[in-house]
Amino acid sequence: MQQHTATSFLPALRPVALAAVLAASSLAQAQNSPAETPAPSLPPVTVSASGLQLGASDMTTPASVLEGDELVQRREATLGETLAGEPGITSSHFGAGASRPIIRGMDGPRVKVLSDGAELHDASTLSPDHAVVSEPLLATQIEVLRGPSALVHGDGAVGGVVNVLDGKVPTAVPAKGYEGSLELRANSGASEKAGVFSLTGGTGNLAVHVEGVARDAGDYRVGPGWLHDGHVDRKVPGSFNRTDTGSVSISWVGERGYLGAAITRQNARYGLPGHNHGFDGCHTHGDRLHCGSHGEDDGHDHGGEGEHGDVPVVDLRSERLDIRGELRNPFAGFTALRLRAGITDYQHDEVEDGTPVTTFQNKAHSARVELQHEPVAGWRGMLGVQASQRRFAAEGDEAYIQPTTTRRAGLFALEEYRWGDWRFEAALRHDRQTAQAETSALERSHIGTSASLGAVWKFRPGYQLGASLTRASRAPTPEELYARGLHMATATYERGDANLRAETSNNIDLSLRKTSGDTTFGVSVFRNRINGYIHGATLDELDGLQLLQYAQQNATFTGIEAQVRQRLNRHVGVTLFGDAVRARLHDGSLLPRIPPARAGLRLDATWNAWQGQVEWLQVARQSRVAAFEQPTPGYGMLNLGVSYSGQTNGTPWQVYLKGHNLTDRLAYAHTSFIKTAAPLMGRNVTVGVRVAF
């Protein structure tokens, strides 16, 4: 078995190894040859989530930034699918309506999703079938910080941080009094139709903004050969997604900063493929599952999905008030004061046969204040405080978590020091969490302190080495503490443990990057040992239903991310990229739903107003599986994108086309709970037009 597993990884790991070899040879060449003439490059992109407004090249750990045309080509209906092509990032994939980013094999509460620096409050960390209330079509920039070095954004971000920037709160008054954009797009895979608009206007010190998205997508098609309910099918029942999002805001803008507020409302209806009603009435006897009556043969003929009606539907409503502000030079010794605050009223019903059977509610508020200070003895940095409260409740047939109130408070500091070609960074954070279960009157408190040290050495123009050491604490979530009951969407019976302690991540990250010249590359390796790793251990399985007991054991995550781009001429470049992650518990057992190794080759070209790229992505077979988990076959996908930009009477516009899985392969996402019930989308062609004014 081990020999077969290793062999299955080799095809996808060879390009990753080649990327590292090319990077090393390029480094050796740089040490023995004159400095090359740098290729033309775009201005550096500021990473807002860095805390100190750093460029991506100044980060001690790898950071991805999607913006402009690249973001337009990557955007999908969910945040997870939008980011799934980035090195080290996959998605949880739960049909078409719910998909959360997975960073370096970690997901859920270990990956924090932010809206311009403020934490989003929905139910997506609770379960992968719950949508992230962030609309990619309204994003102006998406930033990804990998690893726990992003600890200034929360004690739980041991996997990383995704920060979605948008223009919902204006930070400036348009020079001509107004500005905006319109976009229409459609695709073939799900017969999706979507429209986007954004408009900002203002005069004097006041600016107002409105924006909105409407999306209507039907059940999507998969590649040929998928067996569903015993027969070949081409569409996934219940994979539709209908979403409407709107926001209105007002800002006061002055010479030294701004203060604004926005109200955002999102309504969504999407299906839950793979929902199995045959598990109704299943329960536990000790560490064993029982369904139906208690005879020897009980529970072994539960019927299939849809036996009691159509696929269940999530009917979601989220209302959020955002307050954002910044004041430059607020008082002596400080260069900036930043405020992020929000109030969220979230609810979704899980509807079966037209009747709501379970209702999830999340009412939360949070605030974050940062003070950036002037250099002291050469050190520049910021201090901050963050607090939040969340009241979560579930009522109905699948209310497997009792109502809980969670309060969090944290203090943090981030400092940097520059010395010649070196940049040093240090971060410290202290958090306290209290989680109270209302029904059982249980209350658990956890205190954790996290620290990070990092350095970047630009040892030659365009070349840099980065290293970081992080020790980060994560308190258990209320779901991990208090869950008890059936969860139909993931086919699990979950049991929490109120005695769980905080887990501690010890992470080392090393990177080598070349950022200019005809050859550019980035290679990063990491090792993350987590003491007391909290996970759902499978104790029993019955006809596809698994008994998960939240437990703790030390775990180790090890991985590599690499990409190399070679500019062939002024118009054409080729990129080789790949990633791999291994995860194992201390007793030698494997963790479930760990992403398989991937490798790809991309050819990009620009000519006058045209831009395009074609890509082949190869995903390896995942044979390194946990107990009660099945291997997932590998697959290859052909993707392409092309766009043309122009102007009419001074108004810029763009027409774009992108194709995904053009060979129409049947593919399964190993990271998904419902990978066999909802394969990845088959051939899909998207066309769109954007106009800015």
Side-chain angles (χ1 to χ4, degrees):
M1 177 65 179
Q2 293 297 321
Q3 179 65 34
H4 175 72
T5 299
T7 303
S8 67
F9 267 81
L10 286 178
L13 286 178
R14 288 190 186 112
V16 180
L18 180 58
V21 171
L22 288 175
S25 64
S26 179
L27 174 61
Q29 181 182 5
Q31 297 291 344
N32 297 295
S33 63
E36 60 188 285
T37 302
S41 59
L42 296 174
V45 178
T46 298
V47 182
S48 174
S50 65
L52 294 175
Q53 309 300 304
L54 300 173
S57 62
D58 288 325
M59 302 290 293
T60 58
T61 54
S64 296
V65 179
L66 293 180
E67 63 164 4
D69 291 340
E70 184 180 13
L71 177 58
V72 171
Q73 288 289 335
R74 294 290 185 90
R75 292 175 310 167
E76 297 294 344
T78 62
L79 187 61
E81 299 303 323
T82 297
L83 296 173
E86 289 295 296
I89 306 175
T90 51
S91 75
S92 56
H93 183 69
F94 210 98
S99 176
R100 214 172 190 275
I102 298 173
I103 302 179
R104 294 179 168 181
M106 297 189 186
D107 60 356
R110 295 183 180 87
V111 174
K112 196 169 290 292
V113 179
L114 310 175
S115 174
D116 197 5
E119 184 177 359
L120 286 178
H121 292 282
D122 48 36
S124 65
T125 59
L126 177 71
S127 173
D129 64 309
H130 300 162
V132 179
V133 288
S134 179
E135 177 52 69
L137 293 183
L138 291 173
T140 58
Q141 181 172 306
I142 301 178
E143 307 165 346
V144 181
L145 278 63
R146 294 164 177 79
S149 58
L151 58 87
V152 293
H153 291 287
D155 64 324
V158 296
V161 163
V162 177
N163 188 31
V164 182
L165 300 181
D166 53 54
K168 70 168 62 174
V169 175
T171 60
V173 178
K176 61 182 180 180
Y178 68 92
E179 63 184 15
S181 64
L182 295 171
E183 180 177 356
L184 296 174
R185 57 183 279 166
N187 74 31
S188 61
S191 300
E192 180 189 71
K193 298 172 286 295
V196 190
F197 80 92
S198 174
L199 178 63
T200 304
T203 182
N205 295 109
L206 288 179
V208 295
H209 177 84
V210 292
E211 63 183 23
V213 170
R215 175 187 296 106
D216 186 353
D219 291 346
Y220 67 78
R221 293 170 58 88
V222 301
W226 178 51
L227 288 176
H228 174 245
D229 282 351
H231 63 274
V232 177
D233 206 342
R234 289 300 302 270
K235 284 191 175 184
V236 177
S239 60
F240 65 89
N241 180 18
R242 301 182 180 96
T243 307
D244 299 304
T245 304
S247 180
V248 59
S249 65
I250 185 169
S251 288
W252 184 92
V253 182
E255 294 182 357
R256 296 170 52 200
Y258 72 95
L259 179 65
I263 297 176
T264 304
R265 181 183 177 101
Q266 183 175 103
N267 295 304
R269 284 181 65 88
Y270 60 89
L272 296 177
H275 204 280
N276 193 332
H277 290 281
F279 299 134
D280 286 335
C282 292
H283 54 282
T284 61
H285 284 183
D287 291 339
R288 302 288 294 177
L289 284 167
H290 288 262
C291 297
S293 61
H294 295 187
E296 288 296 325
D297 297 325
D298 297 335
H300 292 273
D301 186 11
H302 300 149
E305 59 190 81
E307 182 185 41
H308 295 281
D310 295 333
V311 174
V313 173
V314 168
D315 191 349
L316 181 154
R317 175 189 60 80
S318 174
E319 294 180 347
R320 179 180 173 94
L321 169 66
D322 278 286
I323 299 174
R324 302 174 185 172
E326 179 175 343
L327 179 62
R328 293 179 287 275
N329 302 313
F331 33 83
F334 292 89
T335 58
L337 170 66
R338 301 186 187 95
L339 168 67
R340 295 291 185 270
I343 301 174
T344 301
D345 184 359
Y346 171 96
Q347 175 178 312
H348 84 249
D349 297 322
E350 295 188 0
V351 181
E352 299 182 19
D353 297 328
T355 303
V357 295
T358 310
T359 298
F360 294 86
Q361 292 181 323
N362 191 18
K363 298 181 183 296
H365 58 264
S366 62
R368 177 185 176 93
V369 178
E370 300 174 359
L371 264 174
Q372 187 169 324
H373 65 77
E374 293 179 347
V376 177
W379 288 88
R380 183 178 74 97
M382 71 170 185
L383 308 171
V385 60
Q386 185 174 358
S388 67
Q389 177 176 301
R390 182 192 85 158
R391 186 186 184 280
F392 178 84
E395 297 179 355
D397 294 350
E398 293 188 48
Y400 62 98
I401 299 170
Q402 57 184 304
T404 58
T405 299
T406 307
R407 298 177 180 87
R408 293 189 177 101
L411 300 171
F412 56 89
L414 175 65
E415 301 289 331
E416 71 159 2
Y417 184 87
R418 296 178 185 259
W419 178 61
D421 296 328
W422 290 83
R423 176 184 172 271
F424 301 93
E425 180 181 283
L428 184 66
R429 184 180 179 101
H430 183 75
D431 289 275
R432 177 183 177 87
Q433 173 185 289
T434 300
Q436 180 181 13
E438 298 180 6
T439 304
S440 60
L442 289 174
E443 182 175 296
R444 294 292 184 266
S445 296
H446 298 84
I447 296 176
T449 299
S450 305
S452 177
L453 293 172
V456 175
W457 178 30
K458 298 184 177 181
F459 58 90
R460 183 181 177 87
Y463 290 84
Q464 62 189 59
L465 283 168
S468 71
L469 295 171
T470 305
R471 181 178 176 86
S473 174
R474 185 185 79 87
T477 65
E479 298 78 39
E480 293 165 336
L481 292 169
Y482 305 126
R484 181 167 292 272
L486 273 171
H487 189 193
M488 298 289 195
T490 57
T492 56
Y493 189 104
E494 300 184 20
R495 298 195 311 201
D497 183 352
N499 295 315
L500 293 174
R501 64 188 187 278
E503 62 183 30
T504 303
S505 168
N506 299 282
N507 184 83
I508 181 171
D509 200 301
L510 302 173
S511 63
L512 171 64
R513 283 171 277 179
K514 184 174 183 291
T515 58
S516 63
D518 288 341
T519 304
T520 57
F521 60 80
V523 180
S524 177
V525 294
F526 64 91
R527 183 176 178 84
N528 196 350
R529 180 179 173 83
I530 303 178
N531 296 329
Y533 180 80
I534 301 171
H535 62 287
T538 303
L539 303 183
D540 191 21
E541 188 268 342
L542 184 62
D543 292 350
L545 178 67
Q546 294 189 10
L547 171 58
L548 297 187
Q549 172 67 60
Y550 285 105
Q552 290 189 280
Q553 189 180 154
N554 294 348
T556 301
F557 289 72
T558 307
I560 181 174
E561 302 151 359
Q563 62 178 2
V564 178
R565 182 182 185 272
Q566 177 64 47
R567 188 177 67 155
L568 303 180
N569 56 47
R570 60 180 298 187
H571 299 295
V572 181
V574 61
T575 301
L576 185 66
F577 59 93
D579 57 36
V581 61
R582 298 281 181 90
R584 186 182 293 273
L585 293 170
H586 183 66
D587 64 4
S589 58
L590 300 173
L591 287 167
R593 295 175 299 283
I594 297 300
R598 304 180 300 178
L601 185 67
R602 181 186 305 122
L603 185 70
D604 63 85
T606 59
W607 184 73
N608 294 335
W610 290 91
Q611 290 188 351
Q613 64 177 28
V614 59
E615 169 188 281
W616 177 263
L617 176 66
Q618 184 66 44
V619 178
R621 170 183 170 86
Q622 181 57 290
S623 301
R624 300 175 60 83
V625 295
F628 303 101
E629 186 183 25
Q630 298 299 317
T632 304
Y635 58 87
M637 280 193 177
L638 177 65
N639 308 316
L640 68 81
V642 61
S643 65
Y644 181 85
S645 301
Q647 285 194 7
T648 302
N649 297 325
T651 299
W653 52 267
Q654 182 186 66
V655 178
Y656 62 87
L657 178 147
K658 62 177 182 177
H660 180 75
N661 193 9
L662 292 178
T663 56
D664 206 20
R665 291 289 298 272
L666 177 62
Y668 301 95
H670 185 78
T671 54
S672 175
F673 272 92
I674 58 168
K675 54 180 175 284
T676 56
L680 296 174
M681 190 179 294
R683 182 184 296 114
N684 182 35
V685 177
T686 302
V687 295
V689 57
R690 289 169 49 88
V691 178
F693 54 87

